């Protein structure tokens, strides 16, 4: 749903200008420093990027799902680190509060997330609870007016720099699976909470990912999201269903950027006196890239509109994430191929960095294989519902 086309067009134009004028020239700087510099973070905050999906009542822009994905496609047409720096605040780091937080919790934390004063992080994955997140063992024990948290989370985006964590923990020690899981808001300065140094990763330089350890961390009972135990996994699924559409858009932006780089190269690189874009096999790879980008974009927008209409999109969200992340990987592979040997040399063009960066898309927030299983599970559920 687009509320006002002129306002959205202006926002998208501003983002497009920022990506080309600020982000692209800074990509090497970010890769070398392995962080987004403070001056750029302040600029992103001033542009309002941290609060895109946070309601206007709490200082954000209150973008609808359709507006959010259109913005995400534009913002992600640069190195992944830029959108990752703001992405948790306007995605998984705030969505649990937006969806299920109490009014007191929203007033306390959403305005600070919207301005970028604090960085949010979503702590779900554990060493033995990755693809099956319902197997988590992080425990939350009630003790008077507090809960006491113990456990370890891993592969958490922005954990090393986050000021606020949405944490899934088991409040019913006798429960298994999704039952007995609750969601908490935990502040970084809570005694007993520590984070690791950022992992050394294959790609996505400048986007810190690490571990979060809870060793007897006391969390006030008022920070139980929604004020009700046992609803955490339901909250997590609300967060992830929206985020899967958002992430699909964040896969499509880099694909557009890589194709732009490949087109530019193919029109200027000459072999035997001809631009290589005139060779049919090169042209076919470029055509396949454009086709998959357009298919992903159409699928994402269709699903975003369905969510805005209040429809059940658990199936479609999984399809979006699966298709867009796999398509992005295929685009990356073809674009390196178009560059030939130059595509493997870091000094020649940013295409090799993008190739490494986008590989992670097929792993996080549900591997492609988990989404294949989820797609079939959702298909069967709908067939059963239709027969009932």
């Amino acid at each position: 749903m687009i509320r006002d086309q002129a306002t959205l067009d202006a926002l998208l134009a501003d983002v497009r200008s920022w990506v080309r004028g600020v982000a692209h020239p800074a990509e090497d700087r970010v890769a070398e420093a392995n962080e987004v510099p403070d001056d750029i973070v302040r600029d992103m905050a001033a542009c309002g990027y941290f609060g895109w999906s946070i309601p206007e009542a709490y200082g954000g822009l209150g973008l609808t799902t359709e507006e959010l994905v259109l913005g995400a496609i534009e913002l992600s047409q640069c190195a992944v680190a830029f959108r990752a720096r703001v992405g948790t605040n306007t995605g998984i780091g705030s969505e649990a509060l937006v969806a299920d937080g109490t009014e007191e919790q929203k007033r306390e934390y959403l305005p600070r997330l919207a301005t970028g004063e604090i960085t949010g992080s979503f702590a779900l994955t554990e060493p033995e609870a990755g693809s099956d997140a319902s197997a988590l063992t992080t425990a939350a024990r009630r003790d008077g007016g507090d809960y006491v948290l113990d456990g370890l989370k891993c592969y958490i985006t922005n954990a090393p720099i986050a000021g606020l964590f949405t944490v899934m923990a088991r409040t019913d020690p006798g429960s298994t699976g999704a039952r007995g899981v609750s969601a908490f808001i935990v502040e970084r300065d809570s005694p007993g909470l520590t984070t690791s140094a950022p992992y050394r990763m294959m790609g996505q330089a400048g986007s810190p990912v690490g571990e979060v350890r809870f060793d007897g961390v006391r969390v006030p009972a008022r920070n139980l999201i929604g004020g009700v135990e046992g609803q955490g996994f339901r909250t997590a699924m609300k967060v992830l269903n929206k985020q899967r559409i958002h992430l699909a858009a964040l896969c499509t932006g880099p694909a557009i950027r890589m194709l732009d780089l490949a087109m530019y190269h193919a029109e200027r690189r000459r072999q035997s006196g001809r631009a290589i874009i005139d060779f049919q096999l090169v042209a076919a790879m470029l055509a396949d890239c454009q086709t998959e980008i357009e298919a992903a974009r159409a699928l994402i927008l269709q699903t975003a509109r369905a969510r805005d209409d209040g429809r059940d999109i658990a199936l479609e969200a999984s399809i979006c994430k699966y298709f867009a992340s796999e398509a992005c990987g295929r685009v990356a592979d073809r674009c390196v191929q178009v560059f030939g040997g130059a595509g493997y040399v870091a000094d020649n063009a940013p295409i090799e960095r993008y190739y490494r960066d986008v590989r992670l898309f097929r792993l996080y927030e549900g591997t492609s294989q988990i989404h294949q299983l989820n797609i079939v599970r959702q298909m069967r559920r709908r067939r059963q519902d239709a027969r009932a």
Side-chain angles (χ1 to χ4, degrees):
M1 178 177 66
I2 296 175
R3 297 165 299 169
D4 183 274
Q5 189 66 56
T7 300
L8 178 63
D9 287 345
L11 171 66
L12 298 180
D14 287 345
V15 174
R16 199 171 298 122
S17 176
W18 187 89
V19 165
R20 286 152 181 75
V22 178
H24 286 174
E27 287 180 330
D28 289 343
R29 177 185 172 196
V30 167
E32 290 167 8
N34 197 24
E35 66 177 3
V36 180
D38 288 343
D39 60 310
I40 295 181
V41 175
R42 288 192 297 270
D43 192 29
M44 297 174 88
C47 291
Y49 295 166
F50 283 92
W52 274 2
S53 60
I54 293 174
E56 292 176 284
Y58 305 103
L61 293 184
L63 298 186
T64 66
T65 315
E66 183 176 3
E67 293 167 343
L68 174 65
V69 298
L70 287 168
I73 288 171
E74 292 293 342
L75 184 58
S76 58
Q77 291 179 44
C78 54
V80 173
F82 296 104
R83 71 87 186 157
R85 185 63 183 82
V86 301
T88 48
N89 280 37
T90 197
I92 56 176
S94 66
E95 188 60 29
L97 282 172
V98 173
D100 286 340
T102 65
E103 184 59 31
E104 179 185 1
Q105 290 165 351
K106 292 177 180 179
R107 288 199 307 266
E108 173 69 19
Y109 295 114
L110 288 180
R112 298 164 66 194
L113 289 165
T115 61
E117 175 192 340
I118 52 174
T119 296
S121 187
F122 186 71
L124 174 62
T125 302
E126 299 182 1
E128 295 188 21
S131 294
D132 181 10
S134 66
L136 65 85
T137 60
T138 295
R141 171 177 53 86
R142 185 69 186 254
D143 183 24
D146 298 332
Y147 287 88
V148 181
L149 272 62
D150 290 282
L152 175 67
K153 303 291 185 177
C154 59
Y155 306 124
I156 307 302
T157 301
N158 281 340
I161 61 172
L164 194 70
F165 299 86
T166 300
V167 183
M168 300 296 152
R170 197 169 293 282
T171 45
D172 180 355
S175 67
T176 58
R179 295 186 305 106
V181 175
S182 301
F184 296 88
I185 291 295
V186 185
E187 298 183 13
R188 168 173 282 281
D189 60 4
S190 303
L193 187 157
T194 56
T195 57
S196 70
Y199 299 135
R200 293 179 61 220
M201 301 191 298
M202 177 190 297
Q204 301 206 5
S207 174
V209 179
E211 297 177 352
V212 190
R213 183 175 295 276
F214 304 92
D215 186 8
V217 176
R218 301 190 76 88
V219 179
R222 66 176 180 275
N223 281 21
L224 172 66
I225 293 180
V228 180
E229 289 188 6
Q231 300 299 306
F233 206 76
R234 184 177 300 174
T235 295
M237 290 304 100
K238 290 180 184 179
V239 172
L240 292 174
N241 278 336
K242 180 179 180 183
Q243 181 60 16
R244 285 163 179 167
I245 311 171
H246 186 196
L247 182 57
L250 296 170
C251 295
T252 304
I256 293 170
R257 171 68 168 150
M258 289 186 290
L259 180 55
D260 284 345
L261 291 168
M263 285 288 294
Y264 183 87
H265 176 79
E267 289 175 333
R268 285 157 182 77
R269 171 70 169 145
R270 303 186 71 79
Q271 286 286 317
S272 304
R274 300 166 60 193
I276 63 171
I277 199 170
D278 293 327
F279 295 125
Q280 290 179 338
L281 292 179
V282 172
M285 288 190 287
L286 298 171
D288 285 348
C289 290
Q290 186 67 45
T291 300
E292 292 206 272
I293 288 169
E294 293 303 326
R297 192 201 312 263
L299 180 60
I300 293 162
L301 289 173
Q302 173 181 293
T303 307
R305 291 168 188 145
R307 184 181 185 276
D308 286 339
D309 287 341
R311 285 182 266 165
D312 173 13
I313 47 82
L315 169 60
E316 290 79 4
S318 233
I319 292 172
C320 274
K321 198 278 178 179
Y322 172 53
F323 180 80
S325 61
E326 290 287 337
C328 183
R330 290 189 291 268
V331 168
D333 191 71
R334 293 188 199 105
C335 288
V336 169
Q337 199 72 10
V338 169
F339 272 86
Y344 201 74
V345 178
D347 293 335
N348 287 340
I351 192 67
E352 65 84 28
R353 182 166 62 229
Y354 279 89
Y355 181 84
R356 289 183 287 108
D357 285 352
V358 304
R359 183 60 183 86
L360 186 56
F361 292 157
R362 292 150 61 194
L363 299 175
Y364 62 12
E365 296 183 31
T367 64
S368 293
Q369 288 67 41
I370 286 299
H371 282 288
Q372 288 174 312
L373 296 177
N374 189 51
I375 288 164
V376 174
R377 184 165 56 248
Q378 295 296 332
M379 289 166 60
R380 295 184 70 184
R381 179 180 65 83
R382 290 195 183 180
R383 286 171 61 85
Q384 291 165 0
D385 290 346
R387 288 195 294 263

